[in-house]
Amino acid sequence: MALEGGGGGKVARRRGLGGGFPSLMRRKQVDSDRVRDAGQPQLAKELNIPALVAIGVGSTIGAGVYVLVGTVAREHAGPALTISFLIAGIAAALSAFCYAELASRCPSAGSAYHYSYICVGEGVAWLIGWALVLEYTIGGSAVARGISPNLALFFGGPDSLPWILSRHQLPWFDVIVDPCAAALVFVVTVLLCVGIKESSAVQGLVTVLNACVMLFVIVAGSYIGFQIGWVGYKVTEGYFPYGINGMLAGSATVFFAYIGFDTVASTAEEVKNPQRDLPLGIGAALSICCCLYMMVSVVIVGLVPYFAMDPDTPISSAFAKHGMQWAMYVVTSGAVLALCSTLMGSLLPQPRILMAMARDGLLPSFFADVNERTQVPVKSTVVTGVCAATLAFFMDVSQLAGMVSVGTLLAFTIVAVSILILRYVPPDEVPLPSSQQESFRLSQEYDEERVNVTLGDERCKTSQIEDLIVAQSMQDPLIEKEIDSSKMDEIKRRKVASFSIGSVCVGVLVLTSAASATWLSFLPICIGCIVGAVFLVSGLGLLCWIDQDDGRHSFGQSGGFTCPFVPLLPVMCILINTYMLINLGGGTWLRVGIWLLIGVLVYILYGRTHSSLMDVVYVPVAQAEIYRTSSGYVP
């Protein structure tokens, strides 16, 4: 259905009415989720670069680093653990570049959900948001469960916590409850409800203390290393005992130690200067984490031969072997601080994602409420805290940790795809709410009537000009073709770009699936890899050959960070993340599939019919800009 102007011309087309496939492709405008009544409370803009760095580093560096260095060194990398961390950091940087551009162009709450809603469509955005909700809930619960065993070491042993905080097995049930984990989740929830400025300050303090512990490990470990001659690097197997493949396998494992910087993007709406601060905050946080990881790994693998490392407590046991038993308490303090900081980073983004989804009508408006005094989504934060505390109290969610990786890798992948869409086929239409459709139609009728009056006064001149154009066209028929040639070329370019992006995605999926299907014989694997590579290389080649869309310059807010090496960098990001997604295991995908199926049912029963784009029409960007300027409407 189309809105018709006074002269009968089509000025807009309606999309998204009813259900079915069209509703899955509805795309909102960059800032449409920020269009609210003037009196509605806003999120507080309190975050600057130091606060963003603290959030990013605190969310990324968890207790995993205190365990991963031992496990990965023993089983995969050996002394080459440092290179594994470096390669994983570079792989994470690919996603960070994509996040940085989209965060600075679209500084609104919702992170990957928000970006995919703008660039891909409502269906994909819903699934990404639904997966992120699961990721942060399980991630926060798992982190909280890991704090109590480390905390118990200060009281004398694993089961030495006070009775009220220690773990207990419920009678007649095979369930071990953890009151300490639930209590910590509630404490963090209350802190997050107080305000973003206060919670970010506390997280900054905890992150600094954790960084000091890691610096202690680096400095004290280096002192011991120089005294003993770095015995860990003198093993007979050499620097690569498991070969290059082992080192790369170690990179895939430690890649998940970098998950967390996307938390910075989720706070975009609360940043004072998002165009400058968000890219710097994401980049600085990732760089600091990579440097700390590499320096810690350099020291630890040099103190103890990789085959003699304790897989559970590699750092504290390394100091104990050299007569520094007391260092165990320092390292344990760092692990507790890291877990507390990661817990805050896990619970911080989810309320903002719920709020963004509720603003778009995909969830009840209850989740979109912002407290007038604290200027944070208190209701969403409380719901998040209660769910995470319940899981942490009743369940050992360590077996569900793979589901956290699925949500993160899906988000990383769709953000990279969004960069390709932004650069080559950015949205050329914007949604016009139902409340503005009538005034827009009247504005179009008025403009056409005014043009008709002007043309009526100069009808003779116009006729003469038309006769001249016709005469010239008869002499040179190419003139008329040249008028529409640029428009036709642009339509063709967009079609080629869309086909190329689709070819890249199909090629990546086929290539990674074939390469991971080790249960197949060699011939099917080889054929699958060749077919996937052909699709991938063809799509990438076409994207490199055609020009990027000029509309990318006016997309969102200008003046921010620009992702380099497009299309190569986003394609590499899609390839790496998809490969890791494919290799997460069938059990993980079965559990995630059940959760996503529940999400599909929720969308069909509620989100599809309550979406804010349910009764909108789509108008060309140029017409929307003219209407906005003339009427004062803010799209």
Side-chain angles (χ1 to χ4, degrees):
M1 179 180 179
L3 289 177
E4 303 295 334
K10 183 185 291 185
V11 297
R13 63 189 181 93
R14 187 178 298 276
R15 190 170 79 192
L17 291 179
F21 181 76
S23 66
L24 302 179
M25 303 303 295
R26 297 185 292 213
R27 297 192 291 189
K28 68 177 182 179
Q29 198 176 355
V30 174
D31 291 324
S32 62
D33 63 342
R34 303 176 72 178
V35 179
R36 303 188 297 277
D37 296 334
Q40 188 172 352
Q42 307 282 319
L43 294 179
K45 288 186 173 294
E46 296 286 353
L47 301 180
N48 51 20
I49 294 177
L52 292 175
V53 172
I55 291 173
V57 174
S59 302
T60 303
I61 296 183
V65 67
Y66 296 97
V67 178
L68 279 178
V69 291
T71 303
V72 176
R74 282 176 61 97
E75 300 178 1
H76 299 292
L81 176 64
T82 305
I83 300 180
S84 294
F85 270 112
L86 176 61
I87 294 175
I90 294 173
L94 300 180
S95 297
F97 281 128
C98 299
Y99 264 96
E101 174 167 351
L102 288 172
S104 60
R105 283 183 177 271
C106 316
S108 190
S111 186
Y113 158 79
H114 179 60
Y115 311 145
S116 56
Y117 205 161
I118 295 169
C119 297
V120 184
E122 185 174 285
V124 173
W126 168 262
L127 289 179
I128 293 297
W130 192 251
L132 289 176
V133 167
L134 178 69
E135 171 199 339
Y136 290 123
T137 302
I138 293 182
S141 303
V143 168
R145 274 264 178 170
I147 294 178
S148 51
N150 286 278
L151 201 59
L153 295 177
F154 293 103
F155 293 87
D159 300 319
S160 302
L161 279 175
W163 184 87
I164 194 173
L165 295 177
S166 62
R167 293 180 175 179
H168 304 281
Q169 183 169 358
L170 294 180
W172 306 294
F173 295 98
D174 188 20
V175 175
I176 298 178
V177 297
D178 193 338
C180 180
L184 287 170
V185 171
F186 281 125
V187 169
V188 171
T189 301
V190 171
L191 179 61
L192 292 175
C193 290
V194 171
I196 186 65
K197 183 178 181 179
E198 292 76 9
S199 59
S200 62
V202 172
Q203 186 168 25
L205 175 61
V206 175
T207 301
V208 169
L209 293 176
N210 182 31
C212 290
V213 173
M214 298 186 74
L215 289 176
F216 163 79
V217 172
I218 295 168
V219 174
S222 298
Y223 175 76
I224 297 174
F226 282 111
Q227 282 189 328
I228 64 175
W230 299 102
V231 295
Y233 292 108
K234 297 179 180 179
V235 293
T236 57
E237 294 85 353
Y239 195 70
F240 296 95
Y242 297 98
I244 300 298
N245 290 334
M247 183 265 295
L248 293 177
S251 299
T253 303
V254 301
F255 173 82
F256 298 104
Y258 290 95
I259 290 177
F261 67 84
D262 54 322
T263 303
V264 178
S266 69
T267 64
E269 200 168 317
E270 295 158 285
V271 180
K272 294 179 180 179
N273 187 352
Q275 281 69 43
R276 182 197 66 184
D277 295 352
L278 280 171
L280 290 176
I282 293 173
L286 188 60
S287 300
I288 291 172
C289 293
C290 187
C291 290
L292 288 174
Y293 285 154
M294 292 177 64
M295 288 190 291
V296 168
S297 62
V298 164
V299 170
I300 297 304
V301 297
L303 294 182
V304 180
Y306 71 93
F307 50 81
M309 281 189 176
D310 187 327
D312 297 321
T313 57
I315 298 179
S316 57
S317 61
F319 282 105
K321 288 181 180 180
H322 296 285
M324 295 179 63
Q325 297 285 348
W326 56 270
M328 178 191 70
Y329 296 101
V330 178
V331 174
T332 304
S333 299
V336 172
L337 290 170
L339 283 168
C340 290
S341 182
T342 305
L343 177 59
M344 294 182 65
S346 297
L347 297 181
L348 175 65
Q350 182 173 332
R352 285 144 183 85
I353 293 175
L354 293 174
M355 179 186 68
M357 297 173 76
R359 285 176 176 178
D360 296 326
L362 303 183
L363 288 177
S365 58
F366 168 86
F367 295 101
D369 290 344
V370 177
N371 186 272
E372 295 184 6
R373 187 177 64 84
T374 62
Q375 294 182 289
V376 296
V378 172
K379 294 180 180 178
S380 296
T381 304
V382 170
V383 171
T384 298
V386 169
C387 293
T390 303
L391 276 178
F393 183 76
F394 286 106
M395 291 182 59
D396 182 5
V397 294
S398 59
Q399 67 270 21
L400 306 180
M403 301 175 71
V404 177
S405 302
V406 170
T408 300
L409 292 174
L410 281 175
F412 285 3
T413 303
I414 205 64
V415 165
V417 173
S418 298
I419 285 290
L420 294 178
I421 294 175
L422 162 62
R423 294 297 188 89
Y424 290 96
V425 282
D428 56 353
E429 294 178 328
V430 295
L432 191 69
S434 56
S435 59
Q436 300 291 332
Q437 291 172 16
E438 181 64 21
S439 59
F440 179 81
R441 185 182 65 81
L442 294 176
S443 174
Q444 292 293 313
E445 291 178 352
Y446 173 75
D447 290 341
E448 290 188 7
E449 289 177 0
R450 186 172 57 183
V451 170
N452 289 335
V453 171
T454 303
L455 291 178
D457 294 339
E458 300 182 0
R459 192 172 300 277
C460 294
K461 294 182 180 180
T462 303
S463 179
Q464 295 174 0
I465 292 174
E466 291 177 349
D467 291 341
L468 179 60
I469 292 176
V470 172
Q472 291 180 348
S473 299
M474 293 176 64
Q475 296 176 3
D476 190 352
L478 295 179
I479 290 180
E480 185 176 356
K481 295 181 180 179
E482 289 175 356
I483 295 175
D484 295 328
S485 62
S486 60
K487 183 177 181 180
M488 294 300 297
D489 289 343
E490 177 60 17
I491 294 175
K492 182 179 179 181
R493 188 205 61 77
R494 289 179 68 91
K495 289 182 178 179
V496 172
S498 300
F499 170 80
S500 302
I501 295 173
S503 178
V504 165
C505 295
V506 171
V508 166
L509 186 59
V510 173
L511 177 60
T512 54
S513 299
S516 304
T518 54
W519 48 273
L520 291 175
S521 60
F522 174 77
L523 184 59
I525 293 176
C526 186
I527 294 175
C529 290
I530 292 174
V531 172
V534 168
F535 276 96
L536 174 59
V537 174
S538 299
L540 179 59
L542 285 173
L543 289 176
C544 292
W545 176 61
I546 64 177
D547 294 328
Q548 297 184 23
D549 197 295
D550 291 335
R552 69 187 188 278
H553 299 300
S554 57
F555 183 89
Q557 300 188 19
S558 59
F561 177 80
T562 301
C563 180
F565 308 117
V566 176
L568 182 60
L569 188 149
V571 170
M572 289 296 297
C573 180
I574 296 171
L575 181 63
I576 293 172
N577 293 323
T578 304
Y579 179 77
M580 287 189 285
L581 275 170
I582 294 293
N583 286 277
L584 282 177
T588 296
W589 273 108
L590 178 62
R591 290 188 286 266
V592 172
I594 294 173
W595 174 254
L596 294 181
L597 180 61
I598 295 173
V600 170
L601 295 177
V602 173
Y603 176 75
I604 293 174
L605 297 176
Y606 184 87
R608 178 179 58 88
T609 56
H610 290 78
S611 171
S612 60
L613 300 183
M614 184 65 186
D615 295 316
V616 301
V617 295
Y618 286 78
V619 299
V621 174
Q623 291 189 9
E625 286 296 322
I626 295 173
Y627 175 63
R628 179 181 64 84
T629 304
S630 61
S631 65
Y633 161 64
V634 180

